[in-house]
Amino acid sequence: MSTTSSTAERLGDAVEAGRDRGFVGRGPELAAFRAALAGTAAPIHHVHGPGGIGKSMLLRRYAREARRAGRRVVELDGKSGEKAASPIAAVGDAVRDPALVLLVDHLNLCDVKGTREQEWLLTQLPVGAVVVVASREPPEPPAVADPGWAKLVRVTALGDLAPAEAVEVLAAHGVPAARHQDVLSFAGGNPLALALAARAAARDDGTPWTPGQDLVATLLPQLVGELPSPRHRRALEICVHARFTSEALLRELLGEDAPLLFEWLRAQPFVESHPDGLFPHDAVREVVEADLRWRDPDSFAELHAQVREHVFQQLRVAPENRLRQSVSALGHLYRRDRPLAKWLDEDEVPDASGAWLRLTDPDETDPVIAAIWRYARENAPVRPGEHLGVARFHGSRRRVLGEVLRSSNLAWSYLVLPDDGRWDSCLAELGWPRIDAGEHGYAVFAHDWRAQPAAAWLAERSRAMLSGQVVTREPLARQDNLVVLSREEFDAAVRDALRTFRRPVANPLDRSRVLVESGRSLPELLTYAADALLGERGGDKLHRAVTVTYFKAVPTQEAAAERLGVPFSTYRRHLAAAVRRMSELLWHHELTGTPVLTTRPSPRTS
């Protein structure tokens, strides 16, 4: 009997010693508890926080501290399976002991009939007793606001460990230093996620560490709990993917029940508020996203595209003082895109000066700018209404990216950097290859936004990120081999394409941006341009004129006027207006990259 007892004591000591070694941080919480034991601070503590944040570990440490101080400790865990367990029954005759320390974990699972029963128990305790309760949810507002309890209760929202403390946890578990950043990127400062990830990453085989699905499956229910419905799951997936989640984002992606879903998210213990919206704890973000990427890659890709489009459109209309935040929101979606993340993460200090030049006329005074103009003229000249964008000096790369992505009628953008080779491969992978712009001591990197508009560039970055493939573009190696036409050349090409509609021949529009981006044949594109006239006032007359003339192939214009039942002069006026308006619609897409022809409109009735 003595041997068994001695063994149990030794094992117990070993367990306690291991817990002491594994306990990291929580200095303010320990100091407040020790002050409560000494009678110099509030005797009642309510600790709350999301799953895995370390509430149970903290209460075990409290119990050890209290016993070392000679206190009588009563512990109750609502998660033990004894649903009927009650703090009142657990305290028993210790209710009159001023040395009592009552520790209640998972309060929400205990058999407590609300605030009144809790208050009754607390009022029976003698002065000197200390009570700590822990739950995922904070106490009810009336309980906190009650002036009778104001000086007796301390409410603590338990948060993540600090970065240095998280590293200490990894070191205690023997994780090699080379793997610390990989683990920290996944687990953040969540103690449970850190501990479990550390066990998986402790053995260094020389490869980058990524969380396995066993780890993700273990952590998911611990951090998030049970979700009410598939709609709630999707709302959470949106929240973990976006940098910040607003009700407007939920409404755009999920519809009219967005307000209810937003309120549900805001009430979750693992979600916090920010002036720009809601955001989850790091570990929850990583675990939920890793689970979706593995479980349903197509759904994840769809979600990414939807959130990306919303954030991109927000960036395009953001005021000047919000541009940097908008780019950061977009960059968050690409935090796993190695070259783009490197470009944005190694940003210079925000207070640095910069120059984003919007050039419409050649300038020979600056040799770098002169070389840029020569390159543009020799390869793909700027058309009327377009301009060049040049980051001549830039202190903020986020600002440069924001200017590029929100610029209208931007033909080329150029980055001018020190000629040290540092960014050559990274920018080439981003589609901004280095160009031959002369000898002037600087490296110049260029992108033709007519060949690959901003939306298409972001889509390409998404495909590269989700597939893990590297995309590298050489100067002017445009996969679609687009041509750059002047407005006069474009209008002439539209007229020629209409004349040869029924027997198509080679046309400059075959390699135009508007045709390539539409995904249609040239006759189909012309048909859609004509149908777009039906959505405009008086457009039905123009539509009939161009349809009868070119799509129905009447032998002569006189025959077309006769078939339409209008005077020949009226017919000619309608036809000219139709061709001119169709060309305007197509040119708008060609110049700005903004599609104006998406669905075939219904004919107007008035």
Side-chain angles (χ1 to χ4, degrees):
M1 188 71 176
S2 61
T3 301
T4 302
S5 176
S6 175
T7 301
E9 290 173 1
R10 289 197 301 273
L11 289 175
D13 289 343
V15 171
E16 292 297 334
R19 286 174 174 168
D20 281 347
R21 289 192 302 271
F23 189 87
V24 173
R26 308 308 188 197
E29 291 78 13
L30 287 174
F33 181 71
R34 289 165 183 162
L37 293 179
T40 60
I44 303 170
H45 292 189
H46 188 120
V47 179
H48 65 92
I53 206 65
K55 301 183 296 294
S56 299
M57 182 181 293
L58 181 61
L59 261 61
R60 284 197 297 267
R61 182 58 177 253
Y62 283 172
R64 190 164 174 79
E65 295 265 342
R67 292 190 179 98
R68 287 173 177 171
R71 292 296 199 114
R72 181 176 181 179
V73 178
V74 175
E75 299 177 82
L76 178 65
D77 188 350
K79 202 175 182 181
S80 63
E82 299 175 2
K83 183 69 176 179
S86 165
I88 296 176
V91 171
D93 60 1
V95 72
R96 296 180 180 84
D97 188 350
L100 171 67
V101 173
L102 174 62
L103 304 174
V104 184
D105 200 2
H106 301 99
L107 176 67
N108 56 302
L109 300 179
C110 293
D111 184 22
V112 179
K113 306 295 192 296
T115 303
R116 288 186 178 276
E117 183 172 322
Q118 297 178 47
E119 182 175 337
W120 182 87
L121 169 63
L122 295 175
T123 57
Q124 306 308 304
L125 298 178
V127 174
V130 174
V131 178
V132 181
V133 298
S135 66
R136 292 196 173 191
E137 306 296 336
E140 295 292 333
V144 179
D146 189 333
W149 294 100
K151 294 185 178 181
L152 300 176
V153 179
R154 172 191 165 105
V155 178
T156 300
L158 205 60
D160 284 351
L161 296 175
E165 295 168 343
V167 170
E168 190 177 343
V169 171
L170 300 185
H173 283 81
V175 178
R179 286 193 158 190
H180 281 187
Q181 189 54 53
D182 290 338
V183 178
L184 292 175
S185 297
F186 169 75
N190 184 281
L192 177 62
L194 280 168
L196 294 180
R199 294 176 188 173
R203 180 178 297 179
D204 186 5
D205 59 3
T207 62
W209 181 84
T210 56
Q213 284 310 310
D214 289 343
L215 174 60
V216 171
T218 300
L219 282 172
L220 190 59
Q222 298 293 326
L223 301 183
V224 175
E226 186 174 350
L227 300 176
S229 74
R231 298 283 285 176
H232 291 81
R233 176 183 291 277
R234 196 56 167 177
L236 177 58
E237 291 167 349
I238 293 170
C239 185
V240 302
H241 192 59
R243 189 182 187 206
F244 299 110
T245 297
S246 64
E247 190 173 304
L249 173 59
L250 294 181
R251 183 179 300 108
E252 184 173 325
L253 271 61
L254 296 178
E256 292 306 314
D257 56 351
L260 295 176
L261 295 171
F262 185 84
E263 289 303 319
W264 173 79
L265 281 172
R266 182 157 59 178
Q268 299 310 300
F270 50 79
V271 173
E272 297 186 30
S273 297
H274 181 273
D276 292 333
L278 305 177
F279 69 98
H281 289 187
D282 291 343
V284 172
R285 188 189 294 280
E286 295 301 320
V287 167
V288 173
E289 193 166 278
D291 177 67
L292 178 60
R293 289 200 313 268
W294 170 79
R295 177 171 46 82
D296 194 343
D298 291 341
S299 179
F300 178 76
E302 178 187 13
L303 173 64
H304 171 79
Q306 291 173 333
V307 176
R308 180 192 70 217
E309 179 61 19
H310 175 86
V311 174
F312 176 52
Q313 295 304 326
Q314 292 293 309
L315 184 153
R316 291 179 68 89
V317 299
E320 287 294 321
N321 62 348
R322 293 287 303 168
L323 179 57
R324 189 176 175 86
Q325 292 91 328
S326 297
V327 176
S328 295
L330 185 68
H332 171 83
L333 301 178
Y334 291 91
R335 63 193 186 278
R336 291 187 176 85
D337 181 9
R338 184 193 56 78
L340 186 54
K342 179 182 179 182
W343 175 254
L344 294 178
D345 287 349
E346 296 191 20
D347 208 353
E348 289 85 353
V349 294
D351 294 333
S353 61
W356 172 254
L357 307 179
R358 189 178 186 274
L359 306 178
T360 56
D361 298 307
D363 183 356
E364 301 293 333
T365 58
D366 183 333
V368 178
I369 300 301
I372 285 173
W373 271 109
R374 286 196 299 272
Y375 182 85
R377 284 196 300 268
E378 293 170 359
N379 292 279
V382 177
R383 298 171 293 195
E386 297 179 335
H387 67 276
L388 305 181
V390 182
R392 183 64 177 91
F393 309 101
H394 47 99
S396 171
R397 298 186 190 126
R398 287 183 176 86
R399 179 63 186 237
V400 170
L401 183 61
E403 292 290 355
V404 166
L405 295 180
R406 69 202 246 119
S407 293
S408 298
N409 302 337
L410 176 62
W412 286 90
S413 64
Y414 298 90
L415 303 174
V416 182
L417 296 170
D419 190 7
D420 56 11
R422 179 185 177 192
W423 292 104
D424 290 22
S425 61
C426 178
L427 289 173
E429 191 172 340
L430 288 176
W432 297 49
R434 180 169 177 164
I435 64 173
D436 181 7
E439 298 292 334
H440 40 61
Y442 290 94
V444 180
F445 303 85
H447 186 91
D448 183 352
W449 295 101
R450 297 162 301 186
Q452 188 186 40
W457 180 76
L458 288 172
E460 181 179 83
R461 296 313 316 154
S462 294
R463 289 191 295 272
M465 178 178 65
L466 297 180
S467 67
Q469 297 177 349
V470 176
V471 177
T472 302
R473 286 175 174 261
E474 297 299 328
L476 290 179
R478 290 176 262 171
Q479 296 174 354
D480 40 31
N481 194 26
L482 298 183
V483 298
V484 177
L485 301 173
S486 68
R487 178 62 192 270
E488 292 74 16
E489 293 171 333
F490 189 91
D491 290 345
V494 170
R495 292 192 295 268
D496 289 343
L498 285 170
R499 295 188 188 103
T500 60
F501 180 87
R502 296 179 65 83
R503 294 183 179 179
V505 296
N507 187 290
L509 293 179
D510 292 336
R511 294 184 291 124
S512 67
R513 175 196 211 177
V514 62
L515 184 69
V516 171
E517 290 186 355
S518 73
R520 303 184 176 102
S521 67
L522 183 53
E524 289 174 335
L525 184 65
L526 293 171
T527 302
Y528 269 74
D531 287 347
L533 301 175
L534 293 171
E536 301 179 351
R537 182 177 297 276
D540 52 341
K541 299 176 182 178
L542 308 187
H543 179 266
R544 288 198 298 270
V546 76
T547 299
V548 169
T549 303
Y550 296 119
F551 302 164
K552 301 299 184 182
V554 293
T556 64
Q557 291 191 348
E558 289 78 4
E562 183 178 353
R563 177 177 295 187
L564 291 171
V566 297
F568 185 69
S569 60
T570 301
Y571 157 76
R572 291 291 300 271
R573 187 173 68 253
H574 290 171
L575 180 62
V579 174
R580 183 171 58 251
R581 182 56 182 153
M582 289 172 61
S583 189
E584 287 175 354
L585 293 172
L586 294 170
W587 176 252
H588 179 78
H589 186 170
E590 175 73 12
L591 195 62
T592 67
T594 304
V596 293
L597 308 171
T598 54
T599 59
R600 191 173 293 190
S602 300
R604 294 175 60 91
T605 57
S606 61

